[in-house]
């Protein structure tokens, strides 16, 4: 649920007149409704129509037109002036946890992780599980994940901070659960509240096999493009510069939207991604050439062993 009423007093107290609104893809169909509600309050409204997958991609172009940018659906990952974050909260019924109890009880502690939509419920989830015999714990987040138990595809600090024997990820799909496993190397279970509600232990084996194949393929590459994002919360210039210094034919490429067409056209044999970490892990099938994470590039160059494989995270 989007609680627009929460931001209107704040907009008025800032004396804002022109409001830009940015919504993630899943919430864009609510743009007309939000615009109407803001107009009824006397504001001029501009909707950002560009794709948006996270608070790492603030629409600063829209903000240039407006007094305030209302960014919906995410918590902040950077500190930009004149941006107000409006979370989207989606309650999950706690009874869905019942199927998870027998397996989770086997562990001395279980770290609870979830995405932003459900992070307001982590304490209630923890209490419910404790009442049912599971020693559930929650880790503090980071500057990119300010809520306890919150994870992003680029940050698993709350899982690591929980220091649990096993983990439960509650949310859609298994990508984040695999990320928790890679970040902690501990048994990790996924519970999708909107699918069948069945607990699933995740394994990163399939993903790692695919990554190993890309690393092997990249060993014959002669040129490497180091992708440096120009998005507000994805640019890791120091990392890109360090990686570019590791190979004589590596060049930094400043880029905003990373597409197959752009990478083909740029013509490098392989790329190293310092933008959103999901790109290498989740989107490789979109690209005909290897798109490596920073640690994978180090493995290609013999500067890191496969046994030291680490998941790419954007650290504070
Ligand atoms: Fe999400 Fe990627 Fe942005 Fe992190 S960098 S917030 S995973 S889109």
């Amino acid at each position: 649920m989007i609680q627009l009423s929460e931001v209107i007093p704040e907009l008025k107290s800032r004396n804002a007149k022109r409001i830009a609104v940015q919504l993630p893809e899943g919430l864009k169909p609510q743009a007309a409704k939000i615009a109407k509600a803001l107009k009824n309050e006397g504001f001029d409204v501009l909707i950002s129509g560009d794709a948006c997958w996270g608070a790492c991609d603030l629409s600063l172009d829209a903000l240039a037109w407006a007094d305030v940018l209302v960014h919906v659906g995410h918590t902040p990952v950077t500190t930009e002036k004149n941006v107000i974050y409006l979370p989207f909260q989606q309650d999950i019924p706690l009874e869905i946890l019942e199927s998870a109890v027998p397996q989770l009880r086997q562990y001395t502690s279980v770290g609870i992780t979830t995405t932003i939509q459900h992070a307001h419920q982590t304490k209630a989830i923890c209490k419910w599980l404790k009442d049912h015999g599971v020693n559930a714990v929650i880790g503090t987040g980071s500057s990119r994940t300010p809520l306890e138990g919150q994870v992003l595809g680029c940050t698993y600090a709350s899982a690591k901070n929980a220091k649990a024997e096993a983990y439960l990820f509650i949310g859609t799909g298994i990508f984040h659960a695999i990320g928790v496993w890679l970040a902690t190397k501990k048994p990790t279970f996924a519970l999708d509240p909107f699918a069948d509600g069945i607990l699933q232990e995740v394994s990163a084996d399939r993903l790692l096999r695919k990554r190993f194949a890309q690393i092997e393929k990249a060993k014959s590459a002669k040129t490497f493009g180091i992708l440096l994002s120009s998005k507000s919360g994805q640019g890791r210039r120091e990392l890109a510069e360090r990686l570019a210094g590791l190979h004589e034919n590596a060049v930094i490429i400043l880029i905003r939207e990373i597409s197959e067409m752009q990478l083909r056209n740029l013509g490098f044999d392989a790329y190293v991604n310092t933008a959103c970490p999901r790109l290498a892990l989740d989107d490789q099938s979109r690209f005909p050439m290897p798109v490596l994470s920073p640690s994978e590039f180090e493995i290609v160059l013999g500067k890191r062993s496969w046994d030291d494989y680490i998941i790419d995270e954007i650290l504070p």
Side-chain angles (χ1 to χ4, degrees):
M1 188 191 304
I2 300 172
Q3 297 280 17
L4 201 55
S5 56
E6 285 178 12
V7 296
I8 286 172
E10 171 72 16
L11 293 172
K12 288 186 173 168
S13 77
R14 292 188 186 206
N15 218 8
K17 299 276 182 286
R18 298 215 262 187
I19 312 300
V21 180
Q22 185 178 28
L23 298 137
E25 298 314 285
L27 296 178
K28 279 211 170 58
Q30 301 204 33
K33 201 169 108 191
I34 290 172
K36 185 162 189 283
L38 286 169
K39 280 184 170 182
N40 287 346
E41 294 288 333
F43 298 111
D44 290 337
V45 181
L46 174 81
I47 301 288
S48 167
D50 290 329
C52 170
W53 304 105
C56 57
D57 186 14
L58 293 176
S59 182
L60 300 179
D61 293 346
L63 180 56
W65 171 90
D67 300 315
V68 171
L69 171 68
V70 176
H71 179 95
V72 181
H74 306 111
T75 45
V77 302
T78 52
T79 49
E80 302 285 343
K81 273 170 65 183
N82 299 327
V83 180
I84 295 177
Y85 295 85
L86 179 60
F88 170 68
Q89 297 182 338
Q90 212 173 13
D91 284 348
I92 52 170
L94 298 183
E95 305 78 62
I96 64 141
L97 297 165
E98 263 166 38
S99 68
V101 167
Q103 251 171 309
L104 298 183
R105 267 195 197 138
Q106 298 171 40
Y107 298 97
T108 55
S109 60
V110 178
I112 306 303
T113 58
T114 187
T115 45
I116 176 67
Q117 305 95 289
H118 316 303
H120 63 290
Q121 281 184 294
T122 47
K123 280 200 170 66
I125 290 166
C126 216
K127 180 175 183 317
W128 191 98
L129 286 170
K130 280 186 170 161
D131 290 346
H132 290 76
V134 176
N135 182 24
V137 294
I138 325 173
T140 52
S142 67
S143 58
R144 283 179 91 81
T145 48
L147 305 178
E148 286 183 324
Q150 181 191 2
V151 292
L152 282 171
C154 56
T155 310
Y156 296 91
S158 70
K160 290 185 281 194
N161 290 340
K163 298 191 180 355
E165 193 190 9
Y167 288 88
L168 172 64
F169 170 77
I170 301 168
T172 307
I174 60 167
F175 176 82
H176 291 95
I178 289 176
V180 170
W181 187 95
L182 284 168
T184 64
K185 306 281 174 30
K186 296 284 172 61
T188 303
F189 298 86
L191 188 62
D192 187 335
F194 305 113
D196 47 19
I198 294 171
L199 190 73
Q200 180 185 0
E201 181 166 5
V202 300
S203 160
D205 289 355
R206 192 156 166 264
L207 175 67
L208 288 173
R209 273 200 302 276
K210 287 184 180 175
R211 298 317 303 163
F212 188 82
Q214 293 300 325
I215 289 169
E216 288 302 303
K217 195 171 164 189
K219 284 181 179 169
S220 57
K222 298 211 169 15
T223 56
F224 292 91
I226 312 292
L227 302 173
L228 170 63
S229 177
S230 57
K231 292 185 178 179
S232 56
Q234 289 190 19
R236 290 184 281 175
R237 180 172 296 277
E238 280 180 20
L239 175 64
E241 286 173 354
R242 182 178 72 74
L243 295 171
L246 296 179
H247 191 280
E248 61 176 352
N249 290 327
V251 181
I252 295 175
I253 298 166
L254 185 66
I255 187 165
R256 181 166 184 82
E257 299 300 337
I258 300 169
S259 67
E260 182 213 343
M261 196 176 75
Q262 284 302 91
L263 297 196
R264 268 189 197 277
N265 208 19
L266 283 160
F268 287 78
D269 297 333
Y271 293 88
V272 184
N273 172 50
T274 70
C276 172
R278 288 192 72 147
L279 192 83
L281 294 183
D282 216 14
D283 291 347
Q284 176 67 64
S285 58
R286 283 168 47 203
F287 307 113
M289 71 295 286
V291 178
L292 305 169
S293 72
S295 73
E296 290 168 352
F297 184 46
E298 290 170 347
I299 294 170
V300 167
L301 300 182
K303 297 189 179 302
R304 177 186 289 273
S305 77
W306 173 250
D307 291 341
D308 279 340
Y309 186 98
I310 53 168
I311 187 171
D312 182 25
E313 293 180 81
I314 301 183
L315 301 169

